[in-house]
């Protein structure tokens, strides 16, 4: 029964996408715009296939993910540490919370000039932009997640003999997990967007640069193909990794 | 020798730099195996009193002695059961019950034995692998009870544990709690704002006056036979008497006895 419903939903979606493709094809056939401004779906598909066949896309993805792993990894580590630090020292928290919020809402493009002056047009400039784009979001998420742990869990844990690190590991962290995960998901999307922007900076290889190259070559089908790849990766990670994880946790915690 | 001696001269909270006195001259004792109910208007400091007895709050004037020892912190000899449960939603029923036992680094086999014993006692053996949100309110309170009993505390501190349950679930838990009390012979301090519940469960009832500066306004003994039911004539009669006393100014009736 449930399987049937899911099948129905998928069929509906497929039909919808098919209609969109058809509309696109019709628009192209009407020849309102020249092919180099609006290539046909078939042409984009061919570019997509070619890109995967000659490994440019795969190499781009790998280069991008290496940066992401380093940058987001540093963000998680330092951002969480800063968040915990703010939790411990309330005075600093009160003094800095406005600044951190401001830095978190700063669009990542604003970090470019600074990144280039400090790191030139290097690998580290891009990684720096990823870090700057996501670290403060992690900090905020960490500190709110721990602040919002219901005191009754801590009270119950202490009453049963949990203290210090044990209390942290067995009670406080598990209690904070759902909200930490939401923060991680959001920070990931900041990191991912910063990465794409950062890779447009210069001849950096990576996915963002493939987009840039498409523009340089005036190759619209290349631009569209790379955009599709980027969107597919965004959806896969957000929906299928974070989304599934969140659903599992929500089910378990009864949220 | 009483198991617990409470003599709190005063307990206050600093709220906006103003000292708010919550409890004043709270003075009572409790015998081993006794079922003591504490009633009082909401906000009078009942939860605060239990926190102090549990050892979670040490900033008060006076003393609380557990078996002649000054309480210097929270430990598993006095376990709290909350109205809002305080069960861990990330653990199953069984894992919740075993939480404190694992902290004690007990033998695995022993932990298993204890948890199944108390799962049986509260009739939840079938639900041992369920998560907390899958249970009804009454079942959750039974898990909380089992989790506390599993630690084998001297005193159970129950803070309005049944007040968010529907009447039917509450009736069932009243009879189960009396049974469990008869079997385990635990000392229980049970907080409620419901006089009928207090009469139904308690050997003795302590009435606190309203805040600020709540004191023990009166104590009553209830000598009805057990198990008691909340709508039984005896309970209703006692409730009427107590309410009359409470309504008609009271101090002189301090320590009055009721016999069926
Ligand atoms: N941590 C706290 N800080 C300040 N005031 C508190 C704190 N805990 C309780 N109070 C105050 O003490 C009074 C008694 O609270 P509580 O013991 O929870 O009452 P009860 O359980 O009888 O409803 C209330 O007025 C409450 O606002
Ligand atoms: Mg209370």
């Amino acid at each position: 029964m449930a399987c049937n419903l899911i099948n129905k939903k998928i069929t509906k979606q497929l039909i919808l996408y098919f209609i969109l493709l058809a509309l696109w094809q019709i628009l192209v056939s009407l020849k309102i715009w020249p092919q180099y401004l609006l290539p046909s779906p078939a042409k984009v598909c061919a570019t997509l296939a070619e890109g995967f066949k000659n490994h440019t896309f795969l190499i781009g993805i790998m280069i991008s993910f290496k940066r992401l792993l380093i940058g987001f990894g540093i963000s998680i580590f330092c951002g969480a540490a800063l968040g915990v630090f703010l939790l411990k020292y309330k005075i600093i928290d009160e003094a800095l919370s406005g600044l951190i919020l401001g830095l978190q809402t700063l669009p990542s493009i604003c970090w470019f000039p600074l990144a280039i002056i400090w790191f030139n047009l290097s690998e580290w400039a891009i990684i720096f932009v990823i870090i700057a784009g996501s670290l403060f979001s992690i900090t905020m998420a960490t500190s709110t997640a721990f602040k919002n742990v219901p005191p009754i869990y801590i009270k119950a844990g202490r009453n049963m003999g949990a203290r210090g690190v044990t209390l942290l590991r067995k009670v406080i962290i598990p209690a904070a997990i759902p909200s930490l995960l939401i923060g991680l998901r959001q920070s990931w999307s900041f990191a991912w967007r910063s990465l794409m922007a950062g890779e447009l900076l210069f001849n950096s290889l990576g996915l963002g640069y493939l987009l840039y190259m498409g523009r340089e070559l005036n190759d619209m089908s290349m631009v569209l193909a790379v955009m599709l790849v980027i969107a597919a990766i965004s959806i896969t990670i957000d929906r299928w990794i974070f989304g599934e994880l969140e659903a599992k946790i929500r089910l378990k915690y009864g949220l | 020798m009483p198991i617990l001696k409470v003599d709190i001269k005063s307990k206050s909270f600093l709220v906006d730099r103003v000292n708010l006195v919550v409890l004043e001259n709270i003075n009572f004792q409790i015998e081993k195996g006794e079922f003591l109910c504490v009633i009082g208007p909401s906000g009078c400091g009942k939860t605060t009193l239990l926190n102090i007895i549990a050892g979670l709050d040490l900033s008060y004037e006076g003393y609380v002695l557990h078996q002649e020892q000054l309480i210097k912190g929270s430990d598993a000899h006095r376990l709290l059961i909350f109205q809002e449960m305080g069960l861990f939603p990330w653990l199953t029923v069984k894992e919740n019950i075993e939480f404190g036992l694992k902290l004690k680094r007990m033998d695995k086999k022993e932990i298993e034995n204890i948890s199944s014993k108390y799962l049986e006692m509260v009739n939840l053996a079938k639900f041992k692998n369920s998560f907390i949100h899958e249970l009804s309110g009454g079942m959750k309170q039974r898990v909380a009870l089992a989790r506390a009993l599993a630690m084998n505390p001297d005193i159970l501190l129950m803070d309005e544990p049944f007040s968010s349950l529907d009447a039917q679930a509450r009736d069932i838990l009243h009879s189960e709690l009396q049974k469990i009390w008869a079997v385990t012979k635990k000392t229980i301090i049970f907080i409620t704002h419901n006089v009928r519940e207090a009469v139904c469960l308690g050997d003795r009832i302590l009435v606190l006056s309203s805040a600020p500066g709540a004191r023990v306004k009166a104590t009553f003994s209830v000598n009805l036979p057990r198990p008691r039911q909340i709508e039984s004539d005896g309970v209703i009669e006692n409730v009427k008497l107590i309410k009359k006393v409470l309504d008609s100014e009271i101090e002189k009736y301090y320590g009055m006895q009721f016999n069926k």
Side-chain angles (χ1 to χ4, degrees), chain B residues 43 45-48 83 159-160 191:
Chain B
K46 302 183 295 296
T47 299
T48 307
Q83 178 189 351
D159 191 358
E160 306 192 29
I191 286 185

Side-chain angles (χ1 to χ4, degrees), chain B residues 140-252:
Chain B
K140 284 180 193 165
Q141 270 316 352
R142 273 145 57 192
V143 178
L145 197 57
R147 182 171 80 171
L149 287 169
M151 299 290 282
N152 194 21
D154 288 346
I155 307 177
L156 275 181
L157 306 168
M158 306 182 72
D159 191 358
E160 306 192 29
F162 306 151
S163 59
S164 60
L165 303 181
D166 61 81
Q168 204 185 352
R170 194 156 58 203
D171 287 353
I172 295 169
L173 275 161
H174 284 155
S175 82
E176 286 194 8
L177 182 59
Q178 291 184 77
K179 259 186 236 159
I180 288 169
W181 176 67
V183 173
T184 60
K185 305 195 166 60
K186 291 290 172 204
T187 310
I188 297 179
I189 302 181
F190 188 104
I191 286 185
T192 172
H193 53 241
N194 183 340
V195 182
R196 288 175 75 178
E197 188 171 52
V199 172
C200 178
L201 296 174
D203 293 325
R204 198 152 55 102
I205 301 172
L206 214 70
V207 184
L208 298 185
S209 66
S210 56
R215 296 160 297 110
V216 177
K217 192 151 92 170
T219 54
F220 301 97
S221 291
V222 184
N223 297 328
L224 295 168
R226 290 180 187 272
R228 303 172 189 157
Q229 253 136 28
I230 204 156
E231 347 55 21
S232 69
D233 295 340
V235 168
I236 291 172
E237 230 167 86
N238 273 271
V239 170
K240 271 187 201 151
L241 284 168
I242 290 176
K243 280 196 169 154
K244 204 187 259 172
V245 173
L246 290 179
D247 290 343
S248 66
E249 272 319 316
I250 8 149
E251 235 90 331
K252 59 188 165 186

